């Protein structure tokens, strides 16, 4: 059995793509596209005079708030170019918390399973994990660029 499959099974409902599919994509979302390399990236949040930025390599992405930057950082770390973000801004912070926790748990499991092994094996295992997460996120997809506003309201009937 592949190591990424074992990690996925041990995380169960705390697997990052499972959280994304069940808690993010199940609600109204909008699609985001960021230009990052499709590999594990180092992503940092910078506080500037103009606001909050997400820095990935030499690229910088302006974010409206800290919650959005934290949310985007999870996807930037795994090299996911296209993903969905909750349209309701009050849901972004909770989603970012859950996704960051899932990411950290996955890394802890990789560390536990590769303890005492050569750095090359540790690096290869981590790369396989990141690739498995990224591929599953791509299968789930980012959805529409903007959500459909086809719900009934008091002002707008059928």
């Amino acid at each position: 059995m592949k190591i990424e499959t074992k990690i996925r099974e041990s995380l169960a409902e705390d697997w990052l793509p499972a959280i994304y599919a069940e808690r993010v994509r199940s609600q109204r979302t909008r699609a985001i596209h960021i230009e990052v390399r499709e590999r594990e990236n180092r992503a940092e949040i910078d506080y500037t005079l103009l606001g909050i930025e997400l820095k990935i390599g030499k690229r910088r992405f302006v974010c409206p708030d800290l919650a959005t930057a934290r949310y985007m950082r999870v996807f930037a770390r795994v090299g996911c170019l296209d993903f969905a973000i909750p349209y309701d801004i009050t849901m972004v912070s909770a989603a970012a918390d859950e996704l960051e926790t899932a990411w950290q748990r996955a890394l802890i499991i990789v560390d536990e399973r590769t303890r005492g092994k050569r750095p090359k094996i540790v690096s290869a295992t981590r790369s396989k994990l990141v690739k498995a997460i990224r591929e599953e996120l791509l299968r789930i997809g980012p959805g529409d660029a903007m959500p459909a506003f086809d719900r009934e309201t008091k002002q707008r009937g059928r």
Side-chain angles (χ1 to χ4, degrees):
M1 183 179 277
K2 293 180 179 181
I3 186 91
E4 58 270 16
T5 306
K6 290 179 184 176
I7 293 169
R8 183 185 198 289
E9 288 175 357
S10 64
L11 285 170
E13 69 271 353
D14 290 333
W15 174 243
L16 196 148
I19 292 170
Y20 176 69
E22 294 167 12
R23 298 191 188 112
V24 176
R25 290 291 290 127
S26 63
Q27 58 184 310
R28 184 179 278 188
T29 60
R30 59 188 167 95
I32 299 271
H33 176 81
I34 56 175
E35 291 291 326
V36 295
R37 298 180 87 184
E38 289 187 356
R39 62 174 174 81
E40 185 175 1
N41 296 295
R42 185 166 177 225
E44 300 173 6
I45 296 174
D46 285 343
Y47 301 90
T48 67
L49 293 173
L50 300 176
I52 297 171
E53 292 181 341
L54 180 64
K55 181 181 173 191
I56 307 148
K58 293 181 181 179
R59 292 187 170 264
R60 293 178 179 269
F61 301 93
V62 178
C63 299
D65 56 19
L66 180 59
T68 303
R70 288 177 45 236
Y71 184 90
M72 290 173 63
R73 179 172 60 182
V74 172
F75 293 94
R77 283 178 174 160
V78 296
C80 190
L81 303 173
D82 298 297
F83 54 92
I85 189 167
Y87 191 76
D88 182 359
I89 59 171
T90 62
M91 305 298 287
V92 176
S93 182
D97 289 342
E98 290 183 76
L99 293 171
E100 283 182 329
T101 302
W103 171 249
Q104 293 302 323
R105 284 184 180 159
L107 294 182
I108 288 169
I109 291 173
V110 167
D111 289 343
E112 289 173 355
R113 296 192 184 244
T114 58
R115 186 170 288 133
K117 302 214 174 163
R118 292 182 294 141
K120 191 172 184 177
I121 293 172
V122 174
S123 177
T125 303
R126 192 168 164 142
S127 293
K128 288 177 185 176
L129 173 72
V130 168
K131 185 177 180 183
I133 290 172
R134 182 176 53 250
E135 287 175 352
E136 199 162 332
L137 289 172
L138 289 172
R139 273 195 299 277
I140 297 166
D144 297 327
M146 287 298 289
F149 293 98
D150 56 355
R151 298 202 176 154
E152 280 189 40
T153 63
K154 289 180 183 177
Q155 297 170 342
R156 183 179 51 192
R158 291 183 181 196

